[in-house]
């Protein structure tokens, strides 16, 4: 995990062990062995892990897909509907059966409301890697592809209330946040990512992240924008969806 500013000086004490690697004039490099309280490693445990979990974390080759609106209807959507990757943990959060004490903000409206909660990748001890997730209460919105002008009130609520809540709780202004959706998402229940702008967060690359403000603008211009638009995203070599696109001559 990132070092705390107030504890950096503790690295330069007698409790830290240094092993010299190279020295040249005024320059030296060492292997540094900090005391236990400064060598924390954040660990996430998935147990029992399914084959899908294992595949998610394996390093593999990736390929770019250009998915038209028709490709989504004919290839991606049937595949998504055939999968059984559980999102019960999402419903547990929304129903406050789990992680209720971690909720930063909630709009309880069943159609246009959401909960804002810290992502597990952020330990909340520093703002450098700030990372929160807004999860909408409304079920049935799987991803960017489902969004129409009907969902603009929900998206505007997430954008404005999310920024306000983060400013109030953490003192980080909206102009210092990257607020975006993934396509394709890692789970198919609409959610929005809030990260520190200076943090190179996983999944914030151009082939996956879509800024929420841009999504709102696009839907204001064309209510069916995301049903029509060709979307680019990456798939890993072992993903069954990639094989579906390959079989259809689309990859």
């Amino acid at each position: 995990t990132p070092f705390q500013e107030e504890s950096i000086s503790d690295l330069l004490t007698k409790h830290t062990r240094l092993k010299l690697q190279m020295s040249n004039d005024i320059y030296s490099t060492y292997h540094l062995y900090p005391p236990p309280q400064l060598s924390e490693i954040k660990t996430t445990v998935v147990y029992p892990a399914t084959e899908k979990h294992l595949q998610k974390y394996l390093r593999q080759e990736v390929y770019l897909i250009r998915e038209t609106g028709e490709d989504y209807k004919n290839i991606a959507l049937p595949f998504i509907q055939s999968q059984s990757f559980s999102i019960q943990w999402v419903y547990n959060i929304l129903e406050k059966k789990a992680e209720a004490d971690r909720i930063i903000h909630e709009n309880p409206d069943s159609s246009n409301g959401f909960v804002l909660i810290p992502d597990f990748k952020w330990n909340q001890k520093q703002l450098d890697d700030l990372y929160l997730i807004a999860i909408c209460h409304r079920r049935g919105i799987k991803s960017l592809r489902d969004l129409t002008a009907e969902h603009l009130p929900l998206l505007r609520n997430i954008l404005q209330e999310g920024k306000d809540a983060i400013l109030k709780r953490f003192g980080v202004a909206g102009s210092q946040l990257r607020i975006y959706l993934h396509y394709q998402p890692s789970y198919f229940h609409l959610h929005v990512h809030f990260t520190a702008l200076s943090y190179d967060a996983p999944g914030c690359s151009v082939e996956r992240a879509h800024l929420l403000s841009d999504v709102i603008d696009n839907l204001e211009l064309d209510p069916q924008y995301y049903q029509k638009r060709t979307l680019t995203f990456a798939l890993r070599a072992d993903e069954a969806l990639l094989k579906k696109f390959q079989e259809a001559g689309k990859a």
Side-chain angles (χ1 to χ4, degrees):
T1 56
F3 290 116
Q4 306 299 305
E5 184 175 352
E6 62 272 14
S7 64
I8 287 292
S9 60
D10 293 341
L11 286 172
L12 308 175
T13 68
K14 64 181 180 181
H15 301 294
T16 294
R17 185 164 64 91
L18 291 172
K19 183 177 180 182
L20 181 66
Q21 299 300 301
M22 182 275 292
S23 180
N24 182 355
D25 192 31
I26 64 172
Y27 304 102
S28 301
T29 58
Y30 294 83
H31 283 172
L32 183 149
Y33 302 89
Q37 67 271 21
L38 296 178
S39 56
E40 176 184 347
I41 298 175
K42 182 184 177 302
T43 306
T44 300
V45 177
V46 181
Y47 175 82
T50 66
E51 184 63 28
K52 289 180 181 177
H53 288 111
L54 297 176
Q55 293 301 322
K56 177 181 178 180
Y57 292 103
L58 287 175
R59 181 177 177 86
Q60 297 178 40
E61 295 293 323
V62 293
Y63 300 87
L64 279 181
I65 299 295
R66 293 274 292 162
E67 178 192 84
T68 66
E70 288 301 308
D71 291 339
Y72 175 72
K73 293 176 186 176
N74 298 327
I75 304 172
L77 182 57
F79 175 80
I80 293 165
Q81 292 172 332
S82 71
Q83 299 304 294
S84 58
F85 204 55
S86 174
I87 55 171
Q88 183 58 47
W89 65 273
V90 173
Y91 301 148
N92 289 344
I93 292 173
L94 295 175
E95 296 167 8
K96 299 185 177 65
K97 294 178 180 178
E99 303 183 48
D101 58 327
R102 301 180 69 244
I103 292 175
I104 300 298
H105 172 77
E106 180 177 18
N107 178 329
D109 187 271
S110 59
S111 293
N112 299 319
F114 66 98
V115 298
L116 183 67
I117 192 167
D119 188 274
F120 277 126
K121 290 184 279 293
W122 184 40
N123 63 13
Q124 301 184 65
K125 292 182 179 179
Q126 64 286 314
L127 299 177
D128 306 79
D129 57 341
L130 177 144
Y131 200 144
L132 298 100
I133 299 287
I135 305 174
C136 73
H137 276 298
R138 185 171 174 179
R139 302 189 185 190
I141 312 174
K142 292 182 287 298
S143 74
L144 199 60
R145 282 290 191 194
D146 288 340
L147 294 176
T148 67
E150 173 196 354
H151 303 109
L152 283 171
L154 166 64
L155 299 177
R156 292 180 184 128
N157 284 350
I158 291 175
L159 181 62
Q160 191 58 53
E161 293 181 29
K163 289 193 293 186
D164 291 346
I166 290 172
L167 177 61
K168 181 178 179 181
R169 181 69 172 267
F170 303 109
V172 178
S175 59
Q176 295 179 294
L177 296 172
R178 182 186 293 111
I179 307 169
Y180 57 97
L181 298 87
H182 281 154
Y183 191 79
Q184 286 188 344
S186 54
Y187 54 95
F188 287 91
H189 178 101
L190 189 73
H191 57 284
V192 177
H193 303 255
F194 288 74
T195 65
L197 186 59
S198 58
Y199 174 42
D200 187 15
C204 70
S205 51
V206 295
E207 73 275 11
R208 192 174 187 198
H210 299 257
L211 292 175
L212 178 55
S213 55
D214 289 347
V215 171
I216 291 172
D217 286 347
N218 290 334
L219 291 173
E220 288 174 341
L221 288 170
D222 182 350
Q224 302 297 316
Y225 184 88
Y226 289 102
Q227 280 73 56
K228 302 174 183 176
R229 184 187 159 182
T230 296
L231 296 176
T232 302
F233 58 91
L235 288 174
R236 287 147 49 102
D238 77 317
E239 291 193 67
L241 183 56
L242 176 62
K243 295 179 177 61
K244 296 289 185 183
F245 274 95
Q246 289 171 335
E247 290 168 1
K250 298 289 185 174

